[in-house]
Amino acid sequence: MPVIQTRIFPSPLGKIIACATEQGLCLLEFVGSKRIEREQQELQRLLKRPIAVGGNVHLQQAEAELNEYFSGSRIQFGVALHTPGTPFQTAVWQALQAIPYGKTVSYREQAERIGKPAAVRAVAHANGANRVSVIIPCHRVIGADGSLTGYGGGLQRKQWLLAHERGDAPDNKDLFGESLF
């Protein structure tokens, strides 16, 4: 029986847990997130297979690409993704991947980009259901007033990721000089 492979690796923002099938990466989340257990259970239900510690080519590629991203030498990801979801969620996640590195859009702009201008709340909910943090860049979506709003990895990480993409992220420190992790 095929399984969902999982492993943990380090990042500048703390340890990351990744899961992948033979088709591609299906979960990327910061260790310690309250969402991990729910997301893993949902994946097992949707993909009808268990999760087991191990590795595959997609996990290796994800780790390598994330290391390049965090070092500043990668702005686009090429790792294959396996992201089961509704057609609406899939459209929202594809729109997230079209947001250029270093840029942000509002939830309203994202809703307009998928042709559903009245679906701002539904877009925000679909962003929240994204299981592949950083690579599907939900951190690039902000409030209409420019404020940082919800992020499963925590607003400090969202702030750091956006600063990193602008080229001015502190080294594992928030804007007040305190260690994040």
Side-chain angles (χ1 to χ4, degrees):
M1 169 186 224
V3 299
I4 302 166
Q5 300 288 331
T6 188
R7 62 179 293 199
I8 294 174
F9 50 86
S11 85
L13 297 177
K15 292 179 181 176
I16 292 177
I17 186 167
C19 295
T21 66
E22 65 283 350
Q23 291 176 268
L25 190 68
C26 55
L27 184 135
L28 188 73
E29 192 65 72
F30 294 100
V31 170
S33 168
K34 296 173 184 170
R35 303 161 33 117
I36 292 173
E37 186 174 330
R38 177 180 45 83
E39 289 173 332
Q40 288 180 323
Q41 289 172 350
E42 183 179 25
L43 278 174
Q44 290 178 94
R45 181 184 59 78
L46 290 170
L47 300 176
K48 297 176 177 44
R49 56 178 85 176
I51 294 176
V53 174
N56 67 23
V57 65
H58 304 299
L59 292 173
Q60 293 167 351
Q61 183 177 352
E63 182 176 10
E65 289 185 5
L66 283 163
N67 285 336
E68 292 167 359
Y69 168 83
F70 287 123
S71 75
S73 64
R74 175 175 289 277
I75 62 171
Q76 291 183 322
F77 295 95
V79 64
L81 300 176
H82 185 187
T83 52
T86 67
F88 182 80
Q89 288 172 327
T90 300
V92 168
W93 299 336
Q94 287 173 343
L96 286 171
Q97 292 174 80
I99 302 169
Y101 179 92
K103 303 293 183 193
T104 58
V105 301
S106 70
Y107 291 99
R108 179 169 308 288
E109 289 172 294
Q110 188 183 11
E112 291 168 357
R113 288 179 178 197
I114 65 166
K116 306 276 187 187
V120 176
R121 287 181 189 258
V123 163
H125 185 72
N127 281 357
N130 171 26
R131 289 181 293 273
V132 184
S133 182
V134 184
I135 291 175
I136 298 179
C138 54
H139 62 275
R140 296 180 188 156
V141 182
I142 58 174
D145 63 358
S147 63
L148 297 186
T149 58
Y151 182 65
L155 289 180
Q156 288 181 315
R157 285 189 177 108
K158 181 172 186 164
Q159 182 179 32
W160 190 96
L161 289 164
L162 292 173
H164 169 70
E165 292 184 6
R166 288 190 313 266
D168 62 357
D171 196 13
N172 275 352
K173 305 244 182 224
D174 69 9
L175 298 179
F176 306 104
E178 297 175 2
S179 177
L180 288 174
F181 309 101

